[in-house]
């Protein structure tokens, strides 16, 4: 493997700046923070926000095309870099009203967030198993810390320890799989592995085994059944901003890597894997659809809802066409807006005692019509009700899947599960509009939070009614996978 | 020379041993140690595969990619374990246990 260092900044520009920003945040915290463990972290938070927004804006200046031994900056990578940066900015917005509940480490939270985003951006560029592994571990190890961020709360510790054990286990599966892929193809580079895979009629057993193990490792990240066990517990136990970041970021990480592996590395040979992916998709949809029904805890509920969304993403992955790849990119963006809005509402209604029981949203329509409207929009979009963006995302996935005769059963099943999931989203709406309030405390909505909520709600509306710009961006992003 | 299969059998056995440890041990520290064993099985497989790859016809030597990857794995595993032990410490301080069965308050 020859590494051309002059290309490195062209490919990893965003990552370099994020790394720099992370270091600047650490130093700022040392210089500015007085009594910094417990004090407010306005300086660090503002700087992190400004830096992330600046890098996000800068990423629109970048042109795709640079390629090297460790990574590639194609339009797909660039699309996801922007997506992860937007996720990080939104997470800072969710974290701002939550900050007072942290007894310590307020300045470190934005710093850790920046480093995880670095890992995620690195992953979107990965065209080599070395970059993939290092980036993935950077993301997971920092997320462990963010999940166990309130060690005085037993549930946060429990989320942390469960996440660590499952995360480390999936890493072990992954490395073992990578070893077998390497052993049977002689390379870590995706392009060479792809050449070996598509040069032969049937894959050798060792290579199949290796790819399957890598798939298992990524299934954990995506939250696909049967690797979903950690999702509800970690979602419930982790601090809400972490859960918000995890729900969108970790899922998107699984999506990015699976798309690269299925569409680019396996290429045409991926047709042999359709049955495996379709089976996973069906199981995931079933689990997500039924598991959410009895939930009484808001974040746990959104965890199961996230599992069912992972199912839809797997339906698109099983389809293996350019249309389905574009549909996935559209899907994750709509999921980002709907989910971030929902988590920010949860942060606000759980107030200072941080109680996330579903009772908290009872009668929300009377207490705060604005929050009720935002949560309604977000739930309807997640459920896939027209005219919201989530409907169009599901529609794109299913339209791509129905073109493949072997997947018609899966489309029928996804429709069935979409209707089932409508039930539990409507239960949330019933709580908002028909029940009397249990908690009557004052709901404090800061200006920033109001702005973010409004932005998410408008995006969910706008992309539902006028999808063209986002569809074009998604298709342009996906096209580079099929060159 | 010992054939490649022997190394792979050994690595497979070590991996399975680690997996059994993860599934059967109840002590968090021992679970983490078992995961380390699984990672080391993967490292063994990587090094063995690298050793037995056919050499590049141009240079007559095999690129040590697999062995370099092992260094990455070792470094990453060390970072992971540092974080994991910190969380295990917090668990012990807060709940006075390192038994995973006692950590089951989150459930439906």
């Amino acid at each position: 493997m020859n590494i051309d260092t002059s290309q490195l900044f062209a490919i990893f520009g965003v990552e370099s700046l994020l790394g720099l920003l992370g270091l600047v945040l650490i130093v700022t915290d040392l210089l500015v923070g007085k009594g910094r463990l417990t004090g407010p972290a306005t300086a660090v938070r503002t700087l992190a926000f400004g830096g992330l927004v600046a890098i996000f804006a800068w990423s629109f200046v970048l042109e795709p095309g640079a390629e090297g031994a460790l990574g590639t900056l194609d339009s797909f990578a660039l699309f996801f870099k922007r997506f992860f940066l937007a996720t990080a900015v939104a997470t800072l917005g969710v974290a701002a009203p939550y900050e007072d509940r942290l007894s310590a480490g307020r300045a470190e939270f934005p710093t850790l967030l920046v480093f995880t985003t670095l890992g995620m951006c690195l992953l979107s560029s990965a065209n080599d198993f070395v970059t993939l592994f290092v980036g993935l571990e950077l993301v997971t190890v920092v997320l462990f810390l963010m999940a166990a961020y309130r060690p005085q709360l037993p549930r946060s510790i429990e989320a942390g320890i469960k996440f660590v054990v499952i995360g480390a286990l999936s890493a072990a599966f992954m490395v073992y799989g990578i070893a077998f892929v390497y052993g049977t193809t002689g390379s870590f580079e995706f392009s060479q592995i792809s050449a070996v895979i598509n040069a032969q009629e049937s894959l050798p057993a060792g290579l199949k085994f290796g790819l399957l193990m890598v798939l298992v490792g990524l299934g954990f990240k995506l939250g696909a059944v049967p690797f979903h066990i950690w999702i509800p517990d970690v979602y419930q136990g982790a601090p809400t901003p972490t859960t918000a970041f995890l729900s969108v970021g970790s899922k998107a990480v699984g999506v990015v890597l699976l798309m690269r592996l299925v569409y680019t590395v396996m290429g045409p040979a991926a047709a042999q894997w359709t049955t495996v992916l379709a089976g996973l998709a069906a199981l995931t949809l079933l689990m997500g659809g039924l598991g959410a029904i009895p939930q009484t805890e808001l974040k746990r509920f959104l965890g199961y809802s996230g599992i069912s969304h992972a199912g839809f993403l797997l339906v698109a992955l099983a389809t293996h066409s350019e249309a389905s790849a574009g549909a996935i990119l559209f899907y994750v963006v709509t999921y980002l807006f709907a989910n971030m809005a929902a988590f920010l509402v949860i942060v606000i209604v759980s107030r200072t005692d941080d109680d996330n029981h579903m009772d908290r949203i009872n009668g929300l329509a009377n207490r705060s019509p604005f929050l009720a409207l935002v949560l309604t929009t977000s739930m309807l979009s997640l459920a896939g009700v027209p005219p919201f963006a989530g409907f169009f995302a599901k529609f794109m996935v299913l339209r791509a899947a129905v073109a493949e005769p072997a997947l018609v059963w899966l489309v029928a099943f996804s429709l069935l599960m979409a209707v089932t999931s409508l039930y539990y989203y409507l239960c949330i709406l019933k709580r908002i509009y028909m029940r009397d309030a249990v908690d009557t405390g004052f709901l404090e909505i800061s200006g920033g939070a109001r702005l973010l909520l409004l932005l998410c709600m408008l995006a969910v509306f706008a992309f539902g009614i006028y999808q063209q710009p986002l569809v074009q961006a998604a298709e342009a992003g996906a096209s580079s996978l099929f060159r | 020379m010992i054939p490649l299969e022997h190394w792979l059998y050994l690595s497979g056995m070590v991996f399975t041993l680690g997996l059994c440890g993860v599934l059967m041990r109840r002590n968090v520290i021992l679970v983490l140690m078992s995961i380390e064993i699984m990672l080391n099985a993967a490292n063994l497989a990587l090094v063995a595969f690298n050793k037995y790859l056919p050499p590049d016809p141009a240079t007559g030597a095999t690129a040590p990619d697999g062995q370099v990857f092992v260094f990455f794995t070792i470094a990453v595993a060390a970072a992971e374990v540092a974080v994991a032990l910190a969380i295990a410490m917090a668990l012990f301080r807060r709940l006075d246990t390192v038994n995973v069965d006692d950590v089951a308050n989150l459930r439906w």
Side-chain angles (χ1 to χ4, degrees):
Chain A
M1 183 194 302
N2 293 311
I3 297 162
D4 181 6
T5 41
S6 66
Q7 278 283 306
L8 278 181
F9 187 75
I11 302 167
F12 296 120
V14 171
E15 289 80 357
S16 320
L17 290 179
L18 280 171
L20 198 66
L21 177 64
L23 296 179
V24 168
L25 290 180
I26 294 175
V27 174
T28 315
D29 182 35
L30 283 175
L31 295 178
V32 180
K34 296 244 165 31
R36 57 191 183 84
L37 265 180
T38 49
T42 328
V44 173
R45 179 151 43 84
T46 320
L47 202 61
F49 181 78
L52 283 171
V53 170
I55 298 174
F56 179 66
W58 182 66
S59 73
F60 283 90
V61 183
L62 288 174
E63 287 288 328
E67 192 159 0
L70 289 170
T72 164
L73 190 75
D74 50 6
S75 55
F76 176 74
L78 208 53
F79 182 92
F80 269 103
K81 278 183 214 275
R82 289 168 191 155
F83 175 82
F84 288 129
L85 287 166
T87 311
V89 171
T91 309
L92 273 183
V94 176
Y98 194 87
E99 201 178 64
D100 297 337
R101 294 174 214 172
L102 298 178
S103 56
R106 288 172 189 167
E108 283 79 359
F109 194 86
T111 316
L112 290 177
L113 186 72
V114 166
F115 282 117
T116 334
T117 315
L118 195 171
M120 290 177 174
C121 289
L122 198 63
L123 283 174
S124 55
S125 274
N127 70 351
D128 186 295
F129 270 116
V130 180
T131 321
L132 184 148
F133 177 67
V134 173
L136 199 59
E137 288 306 294
L138 178 55
V139 172
T140 13
V141 170
V142 182
L143 280 177
F144 294 159
L145 284 174
M146 287 168 76
Y149 210 71
R150 300 182 71 185
Q152 65 282 18
L153 289 185
R155 60 168 183 183
S156 183
I157 288 289
E158 185 174 339
I161 205 85
K162 283 179 173 167
F163 197 15
V164 162
V165 170
I166 297 279
L169 192 64
S170 80
F173 276 109
M174 188 103 178
V175 185
Y176 202 59
I178 292 175
F180 273 81
V181 173
Y182 170 69
T184 43
T185 60
S187 175
F188 289 116
E189 283 171 56
F190 288 175
S191 54
Q192 293 196 27
I193 295 170
S194 172
V196 174
I197 288 179
N198 287 301
Q200 40 204 323
E201 280 290 298
S202 66
L203 301 182
L207 184 53
K208 266 188 192 162
F209 173 74
L211 288 172
L212 196 66
M213 292 293 244
V214 173
L215 191 68
V216 169
L218 293 179
F220 277 110
K221 296 285 165 294
L222 185 66
V225 175
F227 320 112
H228 68 287
I229 336 137
W230 61 278
I231 294 235
D233 288 347
V234 174
Y235 273 44
Q236 183 182 352
T240 313
T242 306
T243 313
F245 190 55
L246 193 69
S247 70
V248 181
S250 178
K251 204 170 296 296
V253 160
V255 166
V256 170
L257 297 178
L258 275 174
M259 283 178 89
R260 275 250 193 252
L261 284 180
V262 173
Y263 293 131
T264 325
V265 178
M266 294 186 190
Q272 301 169 22
W273 293 75
T274 304
T275 331
V276 178
L277 289 170
L280 279 182
L283 279 176
T284 311
L285 282 167
L286 187 69
M287 186 68 213
L290 300 182
I293 294 173
Q295 299 308 325
T296 53
E297 217 271 352
L298 283 168
K299 287 196 284 178
R300 205 176 175 81
F301 164 79
L302 281 175
Y304 279 102
S305 141
I307 295 176
S308 104
H309 286 284
F312 273 97
L313 293 167
L314 279 169
V315 171
L317 272 166
T319 310
H320 199 264
S321 70
E322 207 165 329
S324 71
I328 298 178
L329 266 55
F330 187 91
Y331 202 111
V332 287
V333 175
T334 62
Y335 184 69
L336 162 72
F337 288 117
N339 235 28
M340 282 297 172
F343 278 110
L344 185 48
V345 172
I346 293 179
V347 167
I348 294 169
V349 298
S350 64
R351 296 201 292 129
T352 40
D353 57 346
D354 211 12
D355 175 7
N356 300 306
H357 194 272
M358 273 193 190
D359 287 348
R360 279 300 171 102
I361 55 165
N362 286 6
L364 192 63
N366 291 327
R367 296 172 67 203
S368 167
F370 174 65
L371 287 184
L373 183 66
V374 173
L375 196 57
T376 309
T377 322
S378 140
M379 286 301 139
L380 289 178
S381 180
L382 287 175
V385 174
F388 300 102
F391 163 74
F392 200 74
K394 283 197 171 70
F395 173 73
M396 277 176 79
V397 166
L398 295 182
R399 188 180 60 182
V402 89
E404 206 147 315
L407 289 177
V408 173
W409 67 273
L410 188 59
V411 174
F413 185 69
S414 335
L415 280 174
L416 182 70
M417 291 323 289
V419 174
T420 318
S421 67
L422 193 59
Y423 164 74
Y424 54 75
Y425 290 115
L426 289 179
C427 284
I428 298 276
L429 296 194
K430 189 173 104 188
R431 280 177 187 272
I432 299 177
Y433 291 100
M434 324 257 283
R435 298 263 180 94
D436 289 329
V438 173
D439 172 60
T440 49
F442 174 63
L443 295 176
E444 190 190 342
I445 316 172
S446 66
R450 199 175 283 273
L451 187 69
L452 181 60
L453 287 172
L454 206 62
L455 207 69
C456 288
M457 190 170 69
L458 284 181
V460 167
F461 264 122
F463 290 138
I465 294 162
Y466 184 58
Q467 315 91 355
Q468 216 47 44
L470 185 57
V471 170
Q472 272 166 7
E475 277 170 356
S479 65
S480 71
L481 283 178
F482 293 89
R483 263 180 303 135
Chain B
M1 201 149 95
I2 305 169
L4 175 62
E5 285 74 28
H6 290 215
W7 292 110
L8 294 185
Y9 288 137
L10 177 64
S11 134
M13 281 194 290
V14 175
F15 190 83
T16 318
L17 213 62
L19 188 59
C20 290
V22 174
L23 296 176
M24 297 196 300
R25 290 288 177 177
R26 302 276 57 110
N27 184 320
V28 171
I29 310 287
L30 288 178
V31 168
L32 290 173
M33 279 172 67
S34 305
I35 293 176
E36 290 299 303
I37 292 176
M38 291 170 75
L39 278 168
N40 282 322
N43 287 346
L44 181 61
L46 274 167
V47 175
F49 273 129
N50 197 166
K51 176 83 182 155
Y52 287 84
L53 276 186
D56 186 359
T59 56
T62 314
D65 289 359
Q67 304 186 31
V68 173
F69 193 92
V70 169
F71 284 109
F72 281 98
T73 326
I74 293 172
V76 162
E80 203 164 52
V81 135
V83 170
L85 286 179
I87 295 176
M89 277 283 269
L91 174 77
F92 180 67
R93 283 200 191 141
R94 187 70 191 80
L95 298 175
D96 215 12
T97 179
V98 282
N99 189 328
V100 281
D101 286 339
D102 296 340
V103 195
N105 298 311
L106 298 177
R107 53 172 57 187
W108 54 330

